[in-house]
Amino acid sequence: MSHWDVIVLGAGASGLMCSATAAYQGKSVLVIDHAPKAAAKIRISGGGKCNFTNLDVSPHNFICQNAHFVKSALSRYPSSAFIELVERHGLAYETRELGKLFCAERAADLIQILRTECDWAGVNIELGSEVESVKFKQDQYQVKTSQGLFSTSKLVVATGALSFPKLKATGIGYDIAQQFGLQVIKTSPGLVPLSFDGKWQARFSELSGLSMDIIATANGHSFKEAMLFTHKGLSGPGILQVSNYWKMGQVLEINLLPEFSIETVFEALKSLKLNGKSLPKWLNQFWPKRFTQIWLEAFPIETVLSNVTDEALQNYAQQLTHWQLYPAGTGGYGKAEVTLGGVDTDEVSSKTFEAKNQPGLYFIGEVLDVTGHLGGFNFQWAWASGVACGLSV
Ligand SMILES: Cc1cc2nc3c(=O)[nH]c(=O)nc-3n(C[C@H](O)[C@H](O)[C@H](O)COP(=O)(O)OP(=O)(O)OC[C@H]3O[C@@H](n4cnc5c(N)ncnc54)[C@H](O)[C@@H]3O)c2cc1C
């Protein structure tokens, strides 16, 4: 059995960050991961360019039952610290809308930076290694893997969450938490496309690939971003964001004219009526033509509004700005970028990430009940929690 100061389970975003940080403090660090390559999610994230952080990160960008939990780590390791790290490595990156930062070339460049940091710090990484059991004996954790038996007094669980099982995501972190008596908050897919059935599924499928700007609202949370039509329903940033708040059976409301309110749409419709102007032509200024066509088939109204009553126009303005839809479900963990819920943060220190009732056991990254909005916030959480834990172990 070989002994290490720190063993990190998971060579993903938070695990690599934590390992390098701990090894720079002079600790011997072993990282164990069952995947053949490190950080598979970074590789495919952000369409292969990884939205690795955001210029404007605040605790409001996170969903967690304990709203204060994220504050300490995020303030100790802000996005500027990660930007400084990647700049030191010469990473070319680009700033996109809403402060999102992406690699200019490939997400793999970012993985290389993390691997280089781990190499410089002297971290040992065992890939393709199945974790068979974790035991706690005489203040030591014994980790049995397909490669052997390892012991440590500091075990960091950085095994992520359930989304994208095809990238070897598993719930082992929740199992370890429960084994040591920690609560796990019920999980569900987050940042996930919404599916539809019946006539809307057929209509959305016809529009598949089209995108338009909207405001999506569910459960009192609104996001003004793009919506993408897919074969099964709706996706795109605005829908993924709101999916974190939408629950089965609830309404999804969409403002199809995000620069307008119901009042300003009503005024615009009245002006079209007065001037004998065409409604489809007006809508086509804002929408892809194919959507205008499908919309008018679903919600018919005269092309020229001269004979339409003001009451009907008011109702139509309501329909355009508060379109109510009932999704049939979500794309599930297979299509979800993140997992809502996870290890209860009330049971973990927000400064060190150590379990309050189990000395030497740490949880970081997405395995915790912390979910970021879309926009680089989930990786920023992985970096910040990884660094805080790496400094404390
Ligand atoms: C398609 C997609 C796109 C995304 N795009 C973005 C984006 O652009 N920006 C953003 O901020 N976030 C994005 N995310 C979310 C982001 O990838 C995660 O929040 C982040 O990777 C979580 O870091 P982590 O270290 O907690 O877990 P991970 O990075 O998932 O790492 C967990 C590691 O644990 C290993 N592991 C799991 N189970 C076991 C086991 N049983 N034994 C041994 N090892 C195990 C895994 O192989 C993996 O290497 C995206 C996610 C997906 C799925």
Side-chain angles (χ1 to χ4, degrees):
M1 176 159 56
S2 67
H3 183 81
W4 299 82
D5 293 335
V6 183
I7 293 182
V8 177
L9 299 181
S14 63
L16 292 179
M17 201 67 184
C18 174
S19 305
T21 309
Y24 277 131
Q25 309 297 307
K27 306 287 176 194
S28 63
V29 182
L30 173 69
V31 187
I32 296 169
D33 198 304
H34 65 163
K37 286 186 174 172
K41 283 191 184 168
I42 296 181
R43 196 174 300 275
I44 56 133
S45 64
K49 292 201 168 184
C50 186
N51 176 196
F52 57 84
T53 192
N54 194 290
L55 291 175
D56 187 14
V57 178
S58 98
H60 301 296
N61 299 116
F62 296 86
I63 302 166
C64 174
Q65 280 201 0
N66 171 1
H68 302 291
F69 182 79
V70 298
K71 289 182 180 169
S72 171
L74 291 176
S75 65
R76 281 161 71 200
Y77 194 80
S79 55
S80 55
F82 192 74
I83 295 166
E84 199 253 317
L85 170 74
V86 298
E87 283 181 349
R88 243 189 298 125
H89 284 264
L91 180 81
Y93 64 88
E94 56 194 39
T95 309
R96 297 197 196 159
E97 78 290 349
L98 304 172
K100 300 172 191 168
L101 299 192
F102 286 77
C103 299
E105 308 272 323
R106 291 169 306 272
D109 296 339
L110 189 60
I111 302 177
Q112 192 48 52
I113 290 175
L114 296 172
R115 292 294 304 251
T116 302
E117 286 287 325
C118 285
D119 285 350
W120 287 348
V123 174
N124 288 270
I125 303 180
E126 289 261 4
L127 296 170
S129 189
E130 294 294 336
V131 178
E132 291 169 4
S133 67
V134 175
K135 291 198 173 122
F136 187 58
K137 285 183 187 164
Q138 289 150 1
D139 294 341
Q140 295 292 311
Y141 293 90
Q142 290 185 0
V143 181
K144 188 164 182 264
T145 76
S146 49
Q147 318 271 346
L149 190 58
F150 307 93
S151 73
T152 183
S153 56
K154 310 270 184 196
L155 180 66
V156 181
V157 180
T159 46
L162 297 170
S163 313
F164 265 59
K166 69 179 174 197
L167 294 182
K168 304 212 53 111
T170 73
I172 191 174
Y174 310 135
D175 299 341
I176 296 172
Q178 281 165 337
Q179 178 186 339
F180 291 98
L182 282 85
Q183 296 295 314
V184 175
I185 304 214
K186 192 172 175 294
T187 63
S188 59
L191 296 180
V192 64
L194 298 175
S195 57
F196 288 80
D197 49 21
K199 61 176 196 257
W200 284 117
Q201 196 253 318
R203 285 178 177 138
F204 294 156
S205 176
E206 270 185 62
L207 297 167
S208 181
L210 275 189
S211 168
M212 56 197 274
D213 288 336
I214 49 116
I215 300 171
T217 304
N219 250 323
H221 295 269
S222 297
F223 294 90
K224 186 178 176 189
E225 283 192 63
M227 168 173 87
L228 174 73
F229 296 96
T230 70
H231 285 294
K232 295 207 166 150
L234 298 175
S235 186
I239 297 298
L240 298 181
Q241 297 275 33
V242 88
S243 75
N244 280 347
Y245 297 95
W246 177 81
K247 302 257 178 323
M248 192 67 193
Q250 291 181 342
V251 66
L252 165 71
E253 200 170 274
I254 295 178
N255 180 349
L256 291 162
L257 295 165
E259 302 306 329
F260 291 79
S261 63
I262 178 167
E263 292 79 19
T264 51
V265 172
F266 180 48
E267 289 309 315
L269 295 180
K270 278 203 299 193
S271 154
L272 292 177
K273 173 179 166 172
L274 274 176
N275 298 312
K277 295 246 172 78
S278 148
L279 175 66
K281 215 168 166 185
W282 185 74
L283 291 174
N284 281 340
Q285 292 177 83
F286 312 106
W287 295 351
K289 281 192 181 134
R290 270 163 64 208
F291 180 73
T292 307
Q293 200 184 338
I294 295 243
W295 174 263
L296 291 170
E297 278 164 28
F299 300 104
I301 189 164
E302 284 168 43
T303 304
V304 178
L305 305 169
S306 313
N307 298 321
V308 182
T309 65
D310 279 4
E311 195 191 349
L313 288 185
Q314 178 76 38
N315 290 340
Y316 212 74
Q318 165 84 18
Q319 191 72 270
L320 288 164
T321 53
H322 295 77
W323 183 28
Q324 299 208 328
L325 286 161
Y326 288 86
T330 74
Y333 290 115
K335 299 266 184 227
E337 289 196 9
V338 291
T339 301
L340 294 155
V343 175
D344 189 346
T345 54
D346 281 345
E347 313 216 23
V348 175
S349 157
S350 62
K351 301 214 162 40
T352 63
F353 291 86
E354 187 172 19
K356 288 178 182 164
N357 296 322
Q358 181 61 41
L361 183 63
Y362 299 77
F363 293 87
I364 55 170
E366 209 188 316
V367 70
L368 287 163
D369 168 38
V370 174
T371 305
H373 288 167
L374 182 135
F377 303 104
N378 285 293
F379 280 129
Q380 184 57 34
W381 174 245
W383 317 137
S385 59
V387 168
C389 179
L391 287 172
S392 78
V393 282

